Amino acid sequence: MELPFDLGVRRRIYLMRHAEAAYLDIDGRIARDPRAVPLTAHGRREAAAMGALLAPAHFDRAICSGLPRTVETAEIVLADKRLPLERVAELEEVRGGPRGPGVSITARDVAYSIWEAERPDGRFLGGESYADLHTRVTGALQRIVAQPTWQRLLLVAHGGVNRVILAWALGAPLGAMPRMEQDSACLNVIDLDHDRDSQALLRTTVRGLNLTAADPAKHEHWLTSLERQGQELGAILGGGRGPERTS
């Protein structure tokens, strides 16, 4: 749309986190490759609910990270819109360190791993640094934003990635990441104002943050997504099964 007070135009990013993913197999064990996990049955319902909420939106571009849980979420949301789904690997989730014998990760480590982003040298579970995550995600985002061929973009990514994008849109430091929860299948809405002639970015406005279709007021959301994953890990370490479904 044309801006009322500037010689510019406004575009919009509909930024989603993927729906609930099957990090545990049917025996309650942690998936061998978390990059390859699909959605759970509940996750597919979450994505369908968000798809219904976004049905009136006329997307002219759709991007995901390419990991199966983002591809599946985006395809459900897009439904019959017949829009090509692009994969941008730089938008994959922050990468943890190696797992196996001799590597000790507690349930609490998982639950509060995002708070390492406050530290200049903070890393996600001993793996990728949050500074490196910020560099690769903002680099990809800036390339996407610099392309003037779209007006309404559906972007489906991950909790950590979305926090980087939101911090960028808010003009906030990397340390703000832990303070922005991203529930499964949540929606964030970001408006971008550009100069009409030079295409320079004038301003960003966050219009919606962590909106969920089934529970927009968060009555049933008390634990964060990472706290729930920590609970599941704790149940495994304690010899029990993790919960079959989380809100």
Side-chain angles (χ1 to χ4, degrees):
M1 61 162 287
E2 295 287 334
L3 297 179
F5 304 111
D6 292 316
L7 292 177
V9 295
R10 177 164 294 163
R11 299 191 293 169
R12 178 165 293 176
I13 298 176
Y14 294 86
L15 175 65
M16 280 191 65
R17 183 186 175 218
H18 63 80
E20 183 185 80
Y23 296 111
L24 299 182
D25 64 21
I26 59 174
D27 296 320
R29 296 173 299 190
I30 298 174
R32 290 181 179 272
D33 183 3
R35 290 168 48 82
V37 296
L39 299 185
T40 63
H42 177 66
R44 290 189 288 274
R45 292 192 293 272
E46 286 182 322
M50 185 55 72
L53 186 65
L54 291 175
H58 300 289
F59 303 121
D60 49 23
R61 191 174 183 185
I63 295 174
C64 70
S65 75
L67 295 186
R69 56 193 185 272
T70 66
V71 173
E72 192 174 359
T73 300
E75 289 177 342
I76 292 172
V77 170
L78 290 171
D80 58 354
K81 292 184 184 292
R82 298 182 181 179
L83 189 64
L85 180 59
E86 304 170 43
R87 277 80 161 165
V88 177
E90 294 96 324
L91 298 176
E92 291 182 6
E93 183 59 299
V94 59
R95 295 151 187 153
R99 296 186 302 173
V103 178
S104 176
I105 296 177
T106 69
R108 191 182 190 285
D109 291 336
V110 172
Y112 300 112
S113 54
I114 189 66
W115 289 90
E116 283 290 306
E118 288 192 315
R119 297 161 48 90
D121 59 348
R123 294 181 176 274
F124 175 65
L125 299 177
E128 184 177 19
S129 74
Y130 283 102
D132 286 346
L133 172 70
H134 181 270
T135 297
R136 69 173 168 88
V137 170
T138 55
L141 179 65
Q142 287 166 359
R143 291 197 303 272
I144 293 167
V145 169
Q147 297 161 354
T149 55
W150 58 270
Q151 184 177 13
R152 297 180 183 89
L153 167 68
L154 175 66
L155 177 53
V156 182
H158 306 266
V161 171
N162 286 7
R163 287 175 169 96
V164 170
I165 294 172
L166 287 165
W168 169 85
L170 290 166
L174 193 60
M177 285 178 60
R179 292 168 171 78
M180 296 179 284
E181 174 59 355
Q182 290 290 277
D183 292 311
S184 57
C186 73
L187 173 69
N188 311 279
V189 182
I190 303 170
D191 281 354
L192 313 172
D193 292 353
H194 293 264
D195 181 88
R196 188 172 57 191
D197 296 323
S198 69
Q199 297 299 315
L201 183 63
L202 301 173
R203 62 185 68 89
T204 57
T205 305
V206 176
R207 301 187 70 103
L209 178 66
N210 195 33
L211 307 170
T212 42
D215 184 17
K218 308 298 180 183
H219 297 302
E220 302 301 324
H221 288 76
W222 285 88
L223 296 179
T224 68
S225 296
L226 285 169
E227 285 173 334
R228 291 196 294 272
Q229 289 184 34
Q231 277 192 329
E232 293 174 347
L233 177 61
I236 293 170
L237 296 176
R241 281 193 59 160
E244 293 183 359
R245 184 179 77 79
T246 55
S247 297

